[in-house]
Amino acid sequence: MSWAQYHRAANSTLLIVGLSAGAATAQSSATYAKTAQALPTVEPAPEPIDLRLSLGTTYDGEGAYRCTRVALEFAPAISKNLGTVIRLASVVGRPNSLLERQAPNQNYKSAYLEQESVFYPFGIHKRIRLGIGVGGFVGYYEKNTYAYLKAVAGKLTDYSLVSREGMHAGLVGSLNLDVAIDAAQRWHFGIKSAVENGIGSNRISPAHSLTVARRL
C-alpha cells in the first residue's frame, strides 16, 4: 500500500469514528431530554391556612373579675416564618363575689375584631410551632355594675346600679404554642397567652386559652 492510500484510509477511519461519536452524543442528549421531560415537575407546597377555635379566660374591661372568652380565628400563612390572624372574639362574665351577685343585673359582655401578625421563628411547617403575635383590636362592650353597695352581716341592704357601654380598642400581643396531632398536620392543639392593652379607661387584661385548629 502506498503512502497516499494509507493516508486516505486513516482519514476515512477517523471520519467514521467521529461520525459514530457524534451520533452517540446526539442520541445521549435526546435520551436525557426525554428523561427530563418524563420527570414530574415538583411544585412548592402551598402555605397553610388554619381555622382555629379557642376557649379560655380573660377579665372584664376594668379588670374587676374573670370572664369566659371564646374566639374564632382565620389564620393564613404568608411565608414559612410569617402568618396573619383575623379573629372574632366574645367575652362574657359575672362577678365572683357573693356580695356583688346579690345585686341584680351584674354582668359584662363584649365583642371584638382582632388582627395579629404572627412570627414563627422556627418555621410554620414544624410539628411543634411557636408563634409570637402582635396587632390590635376594636370592639364594643357593655358592663352592668353598681355605684355603691351597703351590706349588714353579708346581706345586701342597699345599692345603686350603673351601666357603662361603648367602643373598646387597643393593642394585643400573644405567645402561641401549637402541636400537630396527626402525621399530615391537619389538626393542631395548642395554648395561647395574650395581653390586651385597652385605650381609655380600659386596663391591661391578660387572656389564656386552649385552641384547636383545622388546616384547610
Side-chain angles (χ1 to χ4, degrees):
M1 178 183 294
S2 65
W3 172 256
Q5 291 175 334
Y6 176 79
H7 184 68
R8 285 196 297 269
N11 287 340
S12 298
T13 302
L14 291 175
L15 179 60
I16 292 171
V17 171
L19 290 173
S20 299
T25 302
Q27 184 178 3
S28 177
S29 299
T31 302
Y32 176 79
K34 290 181 180 179
T35 303
Q37 291 177 357
L39 291 176
T41 302
V42 179
E43 297 182 357
E47 299 299 344
I49 300 175
D50 289 345
L51 189 63
R52 186 179 298 121
L53 178 67
S54 67
L55 176 64
T57 63
T58 186
Y59 287 86
D60 66 285
E62 298 172 348
Y65 49 82
R66 193 177 291 273
C67 299
T68 300
R69 185 178 191 274
V70 181
L72 180 64
E73 304 179 1
F74 178 71
I78 299 174
S79 68
K80 67 178 182 179
N81 292 102
L82 187 64
T84 185
V85 177
I86 300 172
R87 182 183 303 114
L88 291 174
S90 177
V91 177
V92 294
R94 297 179 58 197
N96 302 318
S97 167
L98 295 178
L99 178 62
E100 292 179 63
R101 288 196 175 204
Q102 293 180 47
N105 198 30
Q106 300 293 292
N107 56 68
Y108 177 83
K109 297 173 286 185
S110 64
Y112 301 101
L113 175 63
E114 303 180 354
Q115 193 279 328
E116 278 188 286
S117 295
V118 184
F119 174 62
Y120 298 91
F122 305 108
I124 203 169
H125 298 285
K126 299 292 186 181
R127 190 177 185 89
I128 300 177
R129 298 185 308 187
L130 175 67
I132 303 169
V134 61
F137 68 93
V138 61
Y140 186 85
Y141 79 97
E142 177 183 317
K143 182 172 183 178
N144 296 305
T145 184
Y146 58 89
Y148 80 92
L149 298 177
K150 183 178 180 181
V152 176
K155 298 294 185 180
L156 190 64
T157 59
D158 193 16
Y159 59 85
S160 174
L161 302 180
V162 63
S163 294
R164 290 188 286 272
E165 60 183 322
M167 299 298 294
H168 187 194
L171 303 177
V172 58
S174 66
L175 184 64
N176 309 267
L177 183 65
D178 297 308
V179 179
I181 60 172
D182 62 330
Q185 298 189 24
R186 292 190 178 275
W187 290 95
H188 289 78
F189 284 132
I191 56 175
K192 176 187 183 72
S193 292
V195 175
E196 294 180 346
N197 186 3
I199 296 173
S201 63
N202 299 286
R203 66 187 295 278
I204 295 176
S205 295
H208 306 286
S209 302
L210 297 177
T211 66
V212 57
R214 174 65 162 85
R215 181 166 294 178
L216 302 180

